Amino acid sequence: MTKTIQQQVILRQALISTIHDYVKSGASDQKVLHLTYQKDNGETSVRDIEVLGYGPRYFDAHDLLRGSMRTFRTDRVLDIKFNTLLGPQPRKYSASSFVDSNMIGRSKLAK
């Protein structure tokens, strides 16, 4: 591996670690997250979400744009921050198969 590729890998790993921190905090502290997400086809979208449950690679969240639960892959999040203008709401939640088998945490909002 060249030095540039190694640097890119290190930066991506640091970003994924930061994403995990935001997801965990969003769930435990009941905060709305604002993220830029890249679908598998390369298309990006900006979303406000409420994290309901999370595992090491995926997380379930109520997507405020779509008005329903979605499962997100951590490595497809391009940018993430807290949205302090919106407050989360309690949600009915049944974990997706991606998160259920490896669940690390669950939001207090998830009922």
Side-chain angles (χ1 to χ4, degrees):
M1 231 188 299
T2 66
K3 191 170 186 176
T4 304
I5 293 172
Q6 288 174 334
Q7 290 170 335
Q8 290 174 350
V9 169
I10 290 168
L11 288 174
R12 186 65 189 154
Q13 289 171 339
L15 177 59
I16 289 174
S17 178
T18 300
I19 293 164
H20 281 284
D21 291 344
Y22 270 95
V23 168
K24 181 179 177 181
S25 182
S28 64
D29 299 338
Q30 303 172 15
K31 295 179 180 178
V32 175
L33 299 178
H34 182 80
L35 60 86
T36 303
Y37 188 77
Q38 184 174 30
K39 296 179 185 178
D40 60 347
N41 66 2
E43 181 182 329
T44 61
S45 62
V46 176
R47 313 219 178 179
D48 289 303
I49 62 165
E50 299 165 349
V51 178
L52 301 172
Y54 60 94
R57 189 168 177 207
Y58 294 91
F59 61 95
D60 292 333
H62 181 80
D63 183 340
L64 299 176
L65 175 68
R66 302 215 183 225
S68 62
M69 192 190 87
R70 296 284 189 246
T71 300
F72 297 92
R73 267 182 43 180
T74 305
D75 63 344
R76 291 194 182 152
V77 175
L78 302 177
D79 186 47
I80 191 166
K81 59 187 172 186
F82 295 116
N83 183 336
T84 58
L85 301 177
L86 299 174
Q89 301 294 317
R91 306 280 178 194
K92 289 184 180 180
Y93 173 57
S94 179
S96 69
S97 60
F98 296 104
V99 173
D100 190 40
S101 61
N102 295 304
M103 188 174 292
I104 295 173
R106 185 182 179 107
S107 172
K108 294 175 188 170
L109 294 171
K111 299 187 180 236

